[in-house]
Amino acid sequence: MKIDQDEKKMNLFCLRPAYQRTATTRWCSITKSVTLTTAVLLFFFALVVSFLAFAGWIDLAKYSGISYESAMKFFFRKPTSPPPSPLEFPLNCNEWNQNKKCPNNYPLKYEPTNNLNNPASNATCPDYFRWIHEDLRHWKGTGITRKMLEGARRHAHFRLVILDGKVYVEKFKETIETRGLFTMWGIVQLLRFYPGRLPDLELFFDCNDRPLIPAKDFRGPTAGPPPLFRYCSDWWNLDIVFPDWSFWGWAETNIRPWRNVLKDIKEGNKRSKWSDRVPYAYWKGNPHVAPWRGDLMRCNVTEKDDWNARLYVQDWIPERKNGFKKSNLGDQCTHRYKIYIEGWAWSVSEKYIFACDSPVLLMTPGFYDFFIRGMMPQRHYWPVKGNDKCRSLKFAVEYGNNHTKKAEAIGVAGSRFIHEDMKMEYVFDYIFHLLREYSKLLKFRPKIPPNAVELCAEALACPANGIWRKFMEESLEKSPSFTNPCTLPPPYHPQALKAFNDEKFKLSQEVEKWENEYWDKLTKSH
């Protein structure tokens, strides 16, 4: 350490400007020359000694206690060998195409070997994982019986069974586009990522948008609601929230799997500083899927009004014909503010909108997905009134442009949440813990239905073609994870959960108060 510090001081001392031509600078030049000459002489000395030792004329061990082999290792060190490459299991479509059976080469169980050397392997999961306990709370007292489970069948698109480390599916009906296919694909990837780590279980999954299990119909400690998994829920229903299919790719809209999308958006973020972005609120989407989206389009700029919003219609039919050239998510981080508004229920677009380093103006939501409940107004997003959209948007942008440090910080915090707390490994961990906690509630032994088929990567990907096959290959987990899942945090204490929700309400109310004061003042001035 002392030598390093002296060398730094010498470099600083000797790098003075050329016009300081003193005896000191000449001394520096001489010192550098001597150092170089010494290094060259030492190198040739090592070569001569090595040659003499090799010829047997001198015995290094006699003089230094070091063997010839050790001396050679000292002077001619081999480069450090790289760590062993991970086990890789690519798609095996040859075997699948021949006998239509899942290959047996992928391990049914795998224990990570490097956990002791990786302190992060047992890190606590992000705080939003706590909502897993809340979603399953309705069955904590009674458990889940076979009768309760079968009550969800009439709503489900498929039944999923995990037994002895393998996954099976019984399909009941087709889903919108390929939602079901990529949801099944995601579960297969989870078992490739954590082979043999999931217990036996059986569940029903509905791939439509809106929740269907009303809480009011299942009141009381022994009500026994049917457990139904889906992509979103709300505060009036008991559906169990699961990450949506698009994490493994949304082929119909050319949206790549999550790992690649995050990379694209991260690169897009680098193209412009937040302060240089267009100082308005941006939204691009399909306004025809819900009346509140159609209402949002009234807030677009006209010759008469400017509500500080720039809104664009996304028509997927011509986009498909043009090769999705204007739909790249990495190219949409161009405005200071991004608008999120729900579709028929929650919208897949939510996670992409949050990833842009721009504050998200979150229109009052009616639904929640698996992660949004862990985000806080004024910290990760800016709340916007759904029943007074245009004025609320105008105020949000005005406020942000007049409080740029706060606005930029909100954008960064929301984006960091997505890029760090929702990276693909955490998506897998969320599903892992959700299914694991769910399996603990089952009061029956899962079984494979007569009409079920075994699922594996080959069964889903090998018959696929085009962009569907491409996205599956992109999102294929070729190797088991070398680390354990993160540690699931404990459930919220009732008082802590109340405090959390109270804080959310308080921060949203504070924004509403500022907004009302802004418009009152503007009205009086006119």
Side-chain angles (χ1 to χ4, degrees):
M1 182 63 71
K2 179 66 166 62
I3 294 172
D4 291 343
Q5 290 173 351
D6 289 346
E7 185 177 347
K8 288 180 180 178
K9 290 176 183 177
M10 183 62 69
N11 288 335
L12 288 171
F13 186 68
C14 294
L15 288 173
R16 289 181 174 178
Y19 59 78
Q20 293 183 346
R21 299 185 182 278
T22 63
T24 306
T25 53
R26 286 196 298 274
W27 179 81
C28 286
S29 300
I30 294 168
T31 304
K32 288 181 178 177
S33 299
V34 170
T35 304
L36 180 62
T37 305
T38 303
V40 172
L41 288 173
L42 283 173
F43 176 74
F44 279 106
F45 176 76
L47 286 179
V48 171
V49 171
S50 300
F51 174 76
L52 293 174
F54 180 76
W57 293 346
I58 62 172
D59 184 1
L60 287 176
K62 185 185 296 184
Y63 296 98
S64 63
I66 302 173
S67 66
Y68 172 74
E69 289 77 15
S70 298
M72 288 301 95
K73 287 179 182 178
F74 177 79
F75 286 115
F76 303 103
R77 292 179 180 175
K78 293 181 180 180
T80 305
S81 58
S85 58
L87 301 169
E88 283 204 356
F89 300 88
L91 285 173
N92 186 355
C93 286
N94 288 333
E95 185 172 342
W96 171 261
N97 292 334
Q98 286 176 7
N99 53 34
K100 297 296 185 288
K101 289 185 178 180
C102 292
N104 294 320
N105 62 330
Y106 201 87
L108 287 179
K109 191 169 185 180
Y110 179 80
E111 291 292 340
T113 57
N114 67 335
N115 288 325
L116 294 176
N117 300 321
N118 186 357
S121 63
N122 293 321
T124 302
C125 306
D127 223 39
Y128 67 88
F129 279 55
R130 287 184 165 200
W131 290 97
I132 290 173
H133 303 293
E134 293 303 310
D135 285 348
L136 299 176
R137 179 175 52 82
H138 317 288
W139 297 274
K140 288 290 184 184
T142 60
I144 297 171
T145 64
R146 168 68 68 181
K147 182 179 179 181
M148 290 180 197
L149 178 76
E150 293 297 335
R153 177 174 183 149
R154 64 192 181 98
H155 301 298
H157 285 91
F158 62 85
R159 180 204 306 260
L160 186 104
V161 178
I162 296 176
L163 200 61
D164 299 327
K166 295 185 178 182
V167 58
Y168 305 86
V169 68
E170 179 186 21
K171 292 196 289 186
F172 305 127
K173 52 189 176 183
E174 293 301 317
T175 65
I176 299 171
E177 296 177 335
T178 49
R179 290 184 181 191
L181 174 64
F182 275 87
T183 300
M184 296 174 201
W185 174 259
I187 294 168
V188 168
Q189 299 320 300
L190 172 68
L191 268 71
R192 288 174 71 92
F193 199 63
Y194 291 131
R197 307 295 294 275
L198 278 167
D200 296 346
L201 60 88
E202 193 173 336
L203 62 83
F204 286 103
F205 205 107
D206 179 8
C207 298
N208 287 336
D209 288 331
R210 290 193 167 185
L212 294 171
I213 312 298
K216 64 181 177 61
D217 293 349
F218 300 96
R219 292 174 178 165
T222 59
L228 181 65
F229 287 75
R230 69 176 337 100
Y231 309 123
C232 78
S233 190
D234 59 25
W235 305 108
W236 297 274
N237 286 279
L238 305 179
D239 301 57
I240 303 168
V241 180
F242 192 96
D244 72 81
W245 75 94
S246 65
F247 282 99
W248 297 275
W250 188 1
E252 289 81 4
T253 59
N254 197 42
I255 294 177
R256 300 173 70 194
W258 186 233
R259 281 195 179 103
N260 294 327
V261 166
L262 281 181
K263 290 177 185 175
D264 292 343
I265 296 178
K266 187 171 285 188
E267 290 302 311
N269 279 331
K270 294 177 183 177
R271 290 176 204 153
S272 61
K273 294 191 299 183
W274 181 81
S275 57
D276 295 334
R277 295 182 182 180
V278 181
Y280 297 107
Y282 172 91
W283 182 80
K284 186 175 184 179
N286 182 355
H288 307 298
V289 297
W292 41 89
R293 282 196 175 184
D295 187 51
L296 172 66
M297 299 307 289
R298 293 188 305 104
C299 308
N300 221 343
V301 61
T302 65
E303 292 182 1
K304 181 182 176 183
D305 297 307
D306 188 350
W307 301 105
N308 291 335
R310 301 296 182 263
L311 313 172
Y312 304 90
V313 175
Q314 176 71 59
D315 191 335
W316 288 110
I317 296 174
E319 268 302 290
R320 289 190 186 101
K321 292 179 181 178
N322 294 326
F324 301 98
K325 292 177 182 178
K326 296 181 181 180
S327 301
N328 183 12
L329 293 171
D331 296 335
Q332 295 185 25
C333 300
T334 54
H335 290 62
R336 284 192 187 176
Y337 310 92
K338 301 291 292 288
I339 299 170
Y340 171 72
I341 185 170
E342 293 175 332
W344 182 238
W346 122 103
S347 172
V348 169
S349 65
E350 187 175 48
K351 55 184 176 290
Y352 309 121
I353 289 170
F354 265 103
C356 256
D357 281 359
S358 293
V360 173
L361 310 184
L362 190 76
M363 203 75 65
T364 308
F367 304 89
Y368 55 78
D369 55 20
F370 76 101
F371 69 86
I372 191 63
R373 291 173 290 180
M375 303 182 91
M376 188 70 74
Q378 292 195 56
R379 192 175 304 161
H380 299 106
Y381 63 87
W382 188 265
V384 174
K385 293 179 186 175
N387 59 359
D388 194 6
K389 297 178 180 65
C390 301
R391 298 203 324 159
S392 199
L393 285 171
K394 186 174 181 67
F395 167 72
V397 173
E398 290 281 346
Y399 184 93
N401 287 340
N402 288 318
H403 301 80
T404 52
K405 287 185 178 179
K406 181 174 181 177
E408 187 172 8
I410 293 172
V412 169
S415 183
R416 184 183 295 125
F417 184 102
I418 298 298
H419 285 274
E420 295 180 10
D421 288 353
M422 268 185 57
K423 56 188 177 181
M424 196 64 218
E425 289 76 11
Y426 279 142
V427 175
F428 278 132
D429 285 1
Y430 189 94
I431 303 173
F432 173 86
H433 285 300
L434 174 63
L435 295 184
R436 195 161 177 263
E437 295 301 306
Y438 167 81
S439 71
K440 295 176 184 178
L441 300 170
L442 300 183
K443 296 292 186 181
F444 58 90
R445 177 168 173 75
K447 61 182 181 181
I448 304 170
N451 296 326
V453 295
E454 183 182 352
L455 285 187
C456 58
E458 286 75 12
L460 297 172
C462 296
N465 51 45
I467 195 170
W468 290 266
R469 173 68 174 268
K470 177 187 173 185
F471 283 179
M472 287 183 180
E473 290 178 352
E474 278 188 25
S475 59
L476 176 71
E477 297 299 325
K478 295 180 182 178
S479 306
S481 172
F482 274 70
T483 60
N484 282 314
C486 59
T487 302
L488 180 66
Y492 281 108
H493 187 278
Q495 289 180 341
L497 182 58
K498 182 179 183 304
F500 180 82
N501 288 326
D502 287 348
E503 180 71 5
K504 268 191 170 182
F505 181 76
K506 173 189 166 187
L507 292 171
S508 294
Q509 288 294 104
E510 190 173 38
V511 170
E512 187 171 341
K513 174 176 170 286
W514 296 337
E515 187 175 324
N516 291 336
E517 289 172 353
Y518 169 84
W519 285 108
D520 287 345
K521 186 177 179 180
L522 205 63
T523 303
K524 289 176 183 177
S525 66
H526 286 80

